[in-house]
């Protein structure tokens, strides 16, 4: 067997070069489908659902995303049932982004899986990697929340508007700030 392709390296979470032709094709596919979704009649729920089902790795029953939606590849994003994302979701899904059931995502939330080398040489040479993001069931991400690479957010957790989630958050907490920190338990 030969060396792994850049796409195989990306999917394995290894350093890769994003300007690879195979990855460019995948990116263009996602851009075209996102453009169609973002440009379509927002009152045509069936057309929107069909586009999201084609774009994403999974799009659960009774879930809804308000355009605009931006993603890198789409097929790396998995959304559970009854999840709602408000306007302006950015989902840089170089690694997998898994969003559970009954999740509420406020406007202008960013889910960012890409990482870049700290060393100047490899970064200048355009090497990058990514770490997955996992969001548990019944999570609420307030408006403008940013979730960084490699973060897992436990079920029922609420993240306050404008927070930057740099580390895992446990289940059943309210977290706020930059970096986001648990400040109390979720009321039953």
């Amino acid at each position: 067997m030969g060396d792994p392709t850049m796409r195989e390296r990306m999917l394995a979470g290894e350093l890769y070069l994003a300007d690879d032709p195979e990855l460019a094709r995948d990116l263009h596919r996602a851009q075209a489908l996102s453009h169609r979704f973002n440009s379509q009649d927002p009152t045509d729920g069936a057309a929107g659902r069909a586009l999201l089902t084609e774009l994403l790795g999974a799009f659960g029953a009774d879930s809804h995303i308000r355009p605009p939606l931006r993603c890198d590849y789409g097929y790396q994003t998995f959304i559970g049932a009854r999840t709602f994302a408000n306007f302006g979701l950015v989902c840089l899904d170089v690694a997998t982004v898994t969003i559970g059931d009954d999740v509420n995502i406020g406007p202008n939330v960013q889910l960012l899986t890409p990482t870049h080398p700290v060393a100047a040489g490899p970064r200048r040479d355009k090497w990058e990697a990514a770490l997955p993001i996992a969001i548990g069931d019944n999570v609420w991400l307030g408006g403008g929340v940013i979730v960084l690479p490699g973060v897992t957010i436990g079920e029922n957790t609420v993240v306050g508007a404008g927070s930057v989630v740099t580390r895992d958050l446990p289940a059943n907490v309210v977290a706020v700030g930059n970096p986001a920190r648990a400040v109390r338990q979720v009321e039953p």
Side-chain angles (χ1 to χ4, degrees), residues 7-154:
R7 185 176 192 272
E8 290 168 340
R9 291 175 66 119
M10 181 192 86
L11 293 174
E14 300 171 5
L15 286 170
Y16 74 99
L17 296 169
D19 65 354
D20 175 74
E22 185 178 18
L23 290 173
R25 185 190 70 237
D26 290 352
L27 180 66
H28 292 147
R29 172 195 168 272
Q31 287 175 330
L33 288 167
S34 296
H35 176 73
R36 286 175 48 204
F37 173 73
N38 293 332
S39 302
Q40 59 106 24
D41 179 352
T43 64
D44 188 349
R49 171 160 281 289
L51 287 166
L52 290 171
T53 299
E54 185 177 352
L55 172 64
L56 302 175
F59 189 57
D62 299 318
S63 287
H64 183 75
I65 297 175
R66 287 184 171 170
L69 166 68
R70 303 279 187 246
C71 61
D72 277 323
Y73 298 106
Y75 58 75
Q76 292 269 77
T77 298
F78 302 87
I79 298 176
R82 300 169 306 281
T83 287
F84 173 77
N86 215 323
F87 304 109
L89 175 62
V90 173
C91 187
L92 299 187
D93 59 347
V94 174
T96 57
V97 174
T98 305
I99 300 170
D101 297 335
D102 302 299
V103 173
N104 287 311
I105 299 173
N108 299 313
V109 166
Q110 299 177 52
L111 308 175
L112 311 175
T113 69
T115 65
H116 301 276
V118 174
R123 193 173 65 249
R124 185 177 41 252
D125 293 339
K126 308 301 182 208
W127 288 97
E128 61 182 79
L131 297 169
I133 291 173
I135 299 170
D137 294 341
N138 201 39
V139 166
W140 175 19
L141 302 178
V145 165
I146 299 172
V147 179
L148 295 185
V151 167
T152 296
I153 300 174

Side-chain angles (χ1 to χ4, degrees), residues 150-164:
V151 167
T152 296
I153 300 174
E155 66 182 17
N156 303 317
T157 287
V158 175
V159 181
S163 296
V164 179

